[in-house]
Structures are given as structure tokens and as C-alpha cells.
Amino acid sequence: MKKDDCIFCKIANGDFGTEFIIETNDIVAFRDLNPQAPEHILVIPKDHYDNISQITDTNLLGKLLEGVQKVTQKIGLKEFRTVINTGKQAGQSVFHVHIHILGGKELKPTFD
Ligand code: 5GP
Ligand code: ZN
């Protein structure tokens, strides 16, 4: 299901012609607009969920992590960090669930 005012629904729908690193029936991955590392990619479901807590379909949860594997294998990224921000307090700013993949540089071991 799509949400009309959601930027990531529009991206997943191809509205902006965003280049997808991978695309399956259920998910897409694309580069972050404001990268925090040399590699900064977002993996999202095509359907709209505000956050990870709203996904009840465990198959979809698996597909999102499989997406992380597919992306990193495709670009040859062996060492990376994955982040899922849930809620404003945790730093979520786009309320369509997404997994960040960050890599290509030494990342500080911080959770701040
Ligand atoms: P959050 O803070 O919600 O965990 O992460 C949202 C991410 O989406 C941010 O890293 C931000 O740079 C990225 N972002 C926001 N709007 C767009 C957009 O229109 N296109 C792309 N590619 N990334 C976006
Ligand atoms: Zn959405």
C-alpha cells in the first residue's frame, strides 16, 4: 500500500527516476541524498510502513535483510554498518521504514 504524501513511496514508485541499486517485487535500494559515508544506501519496502515496528510480515522483514546482502554483494562492500532509526527520538526523519547501509570508511563505534 502506498501513502500519497510519502517521499519514499514516490521513490519506490519510480516517480523521480531514482536509480535503484537493486529492485525486487517487494523492496528497492537507492543511494541516500545526503550521504554520511562514501557508501550510504537505503533499503526500503515498496509498501508503506511508518517504521520497523509496523511490519508484521516476517517474510518481509527477511526480505529487507536479504536486500542488505544483495546490495553489499553487488557493490562489493564487505564491511558496513546497518541502522534502522525508529521514531523521532531515535533520529528517524522519513517515516517510511528504511535500513541504512553505511560503509567505505572507518566508522566510529558510537550509538549517539
Ligand atoms: P532517517 O533519519 O529517517 O533514519 O533517514 C532518512 C534518510 O533519508 C536521511 O539519511 C536522508 O538523507 C535521506 N533522504 C531524505 N529524503 C531523501 C530523498 O528524497 N532521496 C534520497 N535518496 N534520500 C533521502
Ligand atoms: Zn511511504
Side-chain angles (χ1 to χ4, degrees):
M1 217 79 84
K2 305 250 179 293
K3 193 161 177 270
D4 281 347
D5 59 347
C6 173
I7 192 102
F8 282 6
C9 281
K10 292 193 170 87
I11 287 174
N13 198 44
D15 291 3
F16 304 126
T18 306
E19 186 189 336
F20 296 145
I21 296 167
I22 59 154
E23 177 175 17
T24 71
N25 285 338
D26 307 289
I27 65 164
V28 295
F30 52 89
R31 295 197 176 279
D32 196 290
L33 192 63
N34 181 25
Q36 303 300 308
E39 302 290 1
H40 188 172
I41 293 156
L42 304 173
V43 181
I44 72 167
K46 288 183 173 176
D47 283 342
H48 183 91
Y49 300 87
D50 287 350
N51 57 52
I52 197 78
S53 303
Q54 301 225 314
I55 303 180
T56 53
D57 177 1
T58 53
N59 274 322
L60 181 58
L61 292 172
K63 284 170 180 170
L64 287 164
L65 286 177
E66 188 184 30
V68 171
Q69 292 183 325
K70 284 182 171 167
V71 165
T72 52
Q73 281 162 16
K74 182 162 183 183
I75 68 171
L77 190 64
K78 292 195 168 55
E79 300 184 68
F80 54 87
R81 178 175 293 168
T82 49
V83 174
I84 306 172
N85 295 322
T86 304
K88 197 162 169 281
Q89 189 176 47
Q92 187 177 6
S93 61
V94 176
F95 291 85
H96 177 130
V97 63
H98 49 279
I99 303 179
H100 295 260
I101 301 171
L102 295 143
K105 72 168 186 182
E106 189 84 27
L107 297 170
K108 292 197 184 79
T110 178
F111 289 100
D112 280 348

